[in-house]
Amino acid sequence: MLTGGDVNDCTQFTAVMEAIQVPRPGPGRPRTRPAHVIADKGYSSRAIRTYLRRRKIGVTIPERADQPAGRARRGHRRHAFDPIRYKRHNVVERCFNRLKHFKGIATRYDKLAAHYRSAVTIACLLLWLR
């Protein structure tokens, strides 16, 4: 999903999840529900966790520092968190870091979303071919 620079990422979470389509090996419709989601603290909200729980998707999201006290006050149990699985989220972070080495992507010179998306696609292809 491509949004303006002033839009918070977590507001687009459900739109991104609805757009997921993973092709199956062989015949059949593509999968639209991942088995597990690994995200950083910015996605640690009650709405996102509820959405994932309803769709029966596993979650590895660390809690923000202000959340455990509020949850304990309401009498809710602690969220499960797997630190070993969470270490794998750095793959995506490293990908974004490498994309930001392209000046046009890091500064977003393109005014039209289609042009910016094309630049990101070309940068991804160049990184893949390296």
Side-chain angles (χ1 to χ4, degrees), residues 37-90:
V37 170
I38 302 172
D40 58 9
K41 290 181 181 183
Y43 294 93
S44 180
S45 71
R46 188 183 310 171
I48 288 174
R49 288 182 188 273
T50 303
Y51 172 81
L52 293 171
R53 195 176 314 114
R54 261 193 243 127
R55 292 193 66 196
K56 296 180 174 66
I57 299 172
V59 179
T60 300
I61 303 174
E63 289 185 314
R64 293 189 311 265
D66 63 339
Q67 288 181 324
R71 193 185 58 258
R73 188 176 56 249
R74 290 187 304 274
H76 295 151
R77 62 182 178 86
R78 188 169 186 260
H79 295 295
F81 177 72
D82 184 3
I84 294 170
R85 182 175 270 182
Y86 183 68
K87 287 182 181 180
R88 296 189 347 210
H89 102 286
N90 74 46

Side-chain angles (χ1 to χ4, degrees), residues 1-3 92 95-110 112-129:
M1 296 289 134
L2 189 59
T3 62
V92 175
C95 176
F96 282 119
N97 185 24
R98 292 183 74 187
L99 282 173
K100 288 182 180 180
H101 288 156
F102 293 89
K103 187 176 181 181
I105 293 172
T107 57
R108 192 163 179 175
Y109 287 139
D110 297 314
L112 297 178
H115 294 177
Y116 184 72
R117 182 175 282 129
S118 299
V120 170
T121 303
I122 291 169
C124 288
L125 287 170
L126 290 173
L127 289 174
W128 186 52
L129 292 174

